Amino acid sequence: MSTKSKDISTPNTEPLHNIGDLWNDFSQNTGFHGVNKLSGITNRHKIRLLLWTCFILSCGIYLIVTVVEEINNYYRYPTTMTQYTKPENEIEFPSVTVCNLNSLNKSAIKNDPRIDNYYFSISPFRGLLNITTNWSDPIYEQEGFYLNRTLEDVMTDEKHIIDPGGFLVYAIFHLSYLDVRKYFKVKLTYMGPCLTSNPDMKIKTNHAGSDFHLTLMLDLDNANNYYGRSFGEGLQFQVHDSKEDPIFDGNSGFYVEPGKEVFASVHRCNCLPYTHNRKYYRIISEQEVFGDEPDETKNKIRDSASGC
Ligand SMILES: *[C@@H]1O[C@H](CO)[C@@H](O)[C@H](O)[C@H]1NC(C)=O
Ligand SMILES: *[C@@H]1O[C@H](CO)[C@@H](O)[C@H](O)[C@H]1NC(C)=O
Ligand SMILES: *[C@@H]1O[C@H](CO)[C@@H](O)[C@H](O)[C@H]1NC(C)=O
Ligand SMILES: *[C@@H]1O[C@H](CO)[C@@H](O)[C@H](O)[C@H]1NC(C)=O
């Protein structure tokens, strides 16, 4: 037993005299596979030794190249993207906002020159005459100009435009009547109360093309038009994404005269590709005289979305 253990431990304990011995010792004891074939300890053919050397060297080079490549790849912080196509059979119908350009109700305003002066001073023609309002006059207080009103109070007052008999007579979608109070709500703009198709109750459609989509019948009640014809009357329409706030800057949307029927179609266009996941609409409208009566006060819009 002692002789055996002496045999094995001999190479480790004896001092190593030269590089050859050191290599032989290392190649026989290392854990690297194949390295033991590279020592001259055994009587192997030189060709075999050469082949093993080539093989192990090329494996080593391959290992180093792979590791360097992986490290380089890691420090480039590559991004992995997965692209897929999701077919959508339905698209969300865009929101429609309608404003009456002349929403002041003559019957609801006291007939008094001082009150008229005030409304003139806030009208589009205010630049023509220099009219100042005498706020110390008690009539303004009597008429409720000084009431402390919150936004809720104003909204409550304006609710009537979606009430039956109000501004919005009916709304039809896919040839069936919509619950007006569910799908529309009042939106305040500087033009007064406007109607907007409710962004919380999204209307979806699976029809493309010129099918009947949204049809609105609107009653302008021209008899109660405070400013009258000279100040402009009619409707302004805006078709927009339900997440967007419509901007009425005078040129946006399209204008509908009283007594006209307007057909508007919406085209989705890729105006700004590669930006964000937003929809852009182009509105095309054409007007037609509606009805025979010259004092027809109703407006009608048919809005249709078309696929592209
Ligand atoms: C205007 O006011 C009168 C009287 O208050 C009312 O009958 C009419 O419906 C109102 N018109 C509109 C468009 O609100
Ligand atoms: C309008 O009239 C008031 C006096 O009534 C005057 O102080 C003011 O400068 C005038 N404004 C213009 C724009 O003429
Ligand atoms: C404004 O109205 C008050 C109360 O009616 C009156 O005393 C005052 O003279 C008026 N001021 C002007 C500039 O008209
Ligand atoms: C309106 O509110 C203000 C402050 O909240 C108060 O000073 C004023 O008296 C109120 N006016 C009326 C008419 O209630």
Side-chain angles (χ1 to χ4, degrees):
M1 186 154 190
S2 63
T3 50
K4 260 188 185 174
S5 74
K6 202 181 175 184
D7 281 349
I8 291 167
S9 61
T10 302
N12 298 334
T13 49
E14 273 182 5
L16 299 161
H17 300 299
N18 54 39
I19 295 282
D21 286 348
L22 188 66
W23 171 248
N24 286 341
D25 181 57
F26 171 75
S27 62
Q28 292 312 301
N29 294 306
T30 182
F32 284 114
H33 290 287
V35 175
N36 61 347
K37 311 261 191 315
L38 303 186
S39 72
I41 257 179
T42 46
N43 305 330
R44 285 194 184 112
H45 215 277
K46 286 278 188 286
I47 298 284
R48 195 181 146 134
L49 186 67
L50 188 71
L51 286 178
W52 270 107
T53 307
C54 292
F55 177 68
I56 285 173
L57 270 181
S58 44
C59 284
I61 290 169
Y62 178 73
L63 173 76
I64 289 166
V65 167
T66 312
V67 167
V68 168
E69 212 168 78
E70 281 305 315
I71 288 174
N72 279 342
N73 189 35
Y74 177 79
Y75 282 105
R76 252 185 272 126
Y77 302 110
T79 312
T80 312
M81 285 170 77
T82 317
Q83 201 175 24
Y84 61 95
T85 310
K86 189 172 137 205
E88 294 223 25
N89 298 327
E90 282 189 326
I91 64 161
E92 191 187 301
F93 196 78
S95 283
V96 178
T97 302
V98 193
C99 288
N100 183 353
L101 293 174
N102 207 331
S103 60
L104 277 179
N105 186 344
K106 191 157 70 185
S107 316
I109 292 170
K110 192 184 168 77
N111 188 7
D112 186 285
R114 289 164 294 182
I115 304 284
D116 288 343
N117 277 351
Y118 165 72
Y119 282 113
F120 185 86
S121 72
I122 59 162
S123 77
F125 291 156
R126 60 187 171 274
L128 298 182
L129 285 173
N130 183 7
I131 291 177
T132 48
T133 307
N134 180 4
W135 289 112
S136 355
D137 201 308
I139 191 169
Y140 296 107
E141 196 168 354
Q142 284 158 19
E143 286 303 306
F145 280 75
Y146 288 167
L147 282 182
N148 278 346
R149 275 154 51 95
T150 61
L151 182 63
E152 282 76 42
D153 298 335
V154 177
M155 293 305 277
T156 311
D157 279 6
E158 303 299 356
K159 277 267 155 52
H160 68 88
I161 71 169
I162 47 172
D163 284 346
F167 175 50
L168 180 54
V169 182
Y170 63 74
I172 296 176
F173 195 75
H174 284 175
L175 302 177
S176 57
Y177 285 93
L178 285 180
D179 181 348
V180 165
R181 289 193 218 193
K182 213 161 128 194
Y183 284 95
F184 289 86
K185 69 177 182 189
V186 181
K187 183 168 185 67
L188 282 183
T189 71
Y190 73 92
M191 284 162 69
C194 298
L195 274 184
T196 190
S197 60
N198 197 336
D200 314 320
M201 290 292 300
K202 292 185 174 105
I203 315 176
K204 297 238 171 158
T205 179
N206 51 11
H207 295 267
S210 57
D211 240 327
F212 276 91
H213 281 134
L214 187 63
T215 305
L216 302 179
M217 174 66 89
L218 300 153
D219 184 355
L220 279 180
D221 190 12
N222 275 14
N224 279 317
N225 185 342
Y226 181 78
Y227 286 121
R229 227 147 232 241
S230 51
F231 277 48
E233 51 187 6
L235 299 163
Q236 195 173 6
F237 277 86
Q238 187 91 281
V239 182
H240 54 96
D241 195 291
S242 60
K243 291 184 213 91
E244 279 174 338
D245 210 20
I247 307 158
F248 287 93
D249 59 2
N251 303 317
S252 53
F254 56 96
Y255 168 74
V256 184
E257 275 180 76
K260 296 284 168 79
E261 184 177 33
V262 168
F263 297 93
S265 60
V266 176
H267 296 253
R268 187 172 167 175
C269 65
N270 298 322
C271 309
L272 293 173
Y274 320 119
T275 49
H276 13 76
N277 188 18
R278 279 172 70 186
K279 299 180 199 105
Y280 295 87
Y281 296 104
R282 192 154 54 92
I283 300 152
I284 294 165
S285 84
E286 49 185 85
Q287 299 202 359
E288 267 180 27
V289 179
F290 176 67
D292 309 311
E293 304 137 87
D295 58 346
E296 173 65 63
T297 53
K298 288 185 175 172
N299 277 276
K300 206 178 171 192
I301 176 174
R302 196 187 74 193
D303 215 320
S304 61
S306 92
C308 54

